[in-house]
Amino acid sequence: MEDFAGHTSGVSEVAFSADGKHILTGSRDNTAKLWDLEGHVVQDFAGHTSDVRSVAFSPDGNHILTGSEDKTTKLWDLQGNVVQDFAGHTFSVYAVAFSPDGKHILTGSGSTAKLWDLEGHVVQDFAGHTLFVTSVAFSPDGKMILTGSYDNTARLWRNLFWELESGSLWDRIDKLSEEELAKYDIQLDKK
């Protein structure tokens, strides 16, 4: 058994890298840490102004995500540099996840979840829970999104952005609501 001691406050979230060679911890000391399996800190990730509540590795292991009570999510390289800030939630970010292809992230905060591209743009909102969203996940193929909440429910959502990118959305384009069409800037010729 190894101890991973180095944070100055409680550890709120942990994750393994896909190759199993590193672990990631998020702490109430406003930082995340990358560790080797012998308990040595490989890299510190400092930049949040409040507790780090969620952490995740990218599928390729080259980046990490941190979600914080400061209402932001940060994408980092493994050298501890912030690559992208994701700001847009009005409550603490309690859950983060990478899409299976690593091209999008998912965040849970307040009663909503958001799907983002890696440039920091929201591409889909998921609203419907009545209490805090505390967990988020992608299906292995990226087609579906799962959210869990303190409202005693989990919700399964279609990833419309994936459907749009893959072309499967075009097979049922005539069934989309006006809101969905506007969200993806799709204009149909209704002659």
Side-chain angles (χ1 to χ4, degrees):
M1 179 180 80
E2 293 295 333
D3 284 330
F4 297 84
H7 285 291
T8 59
S9 193
V11 174
S12 54
E13 181 79 1
V14 296
F16 267 104
S17 61
D19 64 8
K21 294 181 180 178
H22 293 92
I23 68 165
L24 185 59
T25 56
S27 172
R28 296 181 65 100
D29 65 9
N30 305 351
T31 70
K33 292 183 184 295
L34 179 68
W35 309 77
D36 64 23
L37 296 184
E38 288 74 45
H40 303 109
V41 175
V42 175
Q43 186 62 55
D44 287 302
F45 301 89
H48 284 291
T49 59
S50 192
D51 301 3
V52 174
R53 301 300 264 168
S54 50
V55 296
F57 280 98
S58 63
D60 65 7
N62 292 328
H63 293 89
I64 69 157
L65 278 177
T66 55
S68 173
E69 285 191 4
D70 66 12
K71 305 174 189 170
T72 69
T73 298
K74 294 183 183 294
L75 175 68
W76 309 78
D77 64 22
L78 296 184
Q79 291 71 47
N81 302 305
V82 175
V83 175
Q84 184 65 54
D85 281 303
F86 301 85
H89 283 296
T90 55
F91 294 97
S92 301
V93 179
Y94 282 104
V96 295
F98 276 96
S99 62
D101 63 6
K103 294 180 180 179
H104 294 92
I105 69 160
L106 188 59
T107 58
S109 170
S111 59
T112 65
K114 293 181 184 292
L115 179 66
W116 309 74
D117 63 22
L118 295 184
E119 288 74 45
H121 304 106
V122 175
V123 295
Q124 190 173 351
D125 285 299
F126 304 93
H129 284 291
T130 58
L131 291 174
F132 287 108
V133 174
T134 57
S135 56
V136 295
F138 286 90
S139 61
D141 60 9
K143 293 180 185 179
M144 304 296 287
I145 287 170
L146 187 62
T147 58
S149 169
Y150 281 157
D151 68 8
N152 302 335
T153 67
R155 289 181 176 236
L156 187 62
W157 311 82
R158 288 184 11 240
N159 180 348
L160 293 178
F161 193 78
W162 180 91
E163 292 180 23
L164 181 64
E165 282 192 326
S166 70
S168 66
L169 188 63
W170 299 111
D171 295 338
R172 54 180 192 73
I173 196 79
D174 59 329
K175 295 180 178 75
L176 291 180
S177 69
E178 292 296 324
E179 182 180 279
E180 290 170 321
L181 291 170
K183 178 75 175 176
Y184 296 104
D185 196 27
I186 299 169
Q187 297 179 12
L188 298 177
D189 186 6
K190 297 186 177 183
K191 292 181 182 177

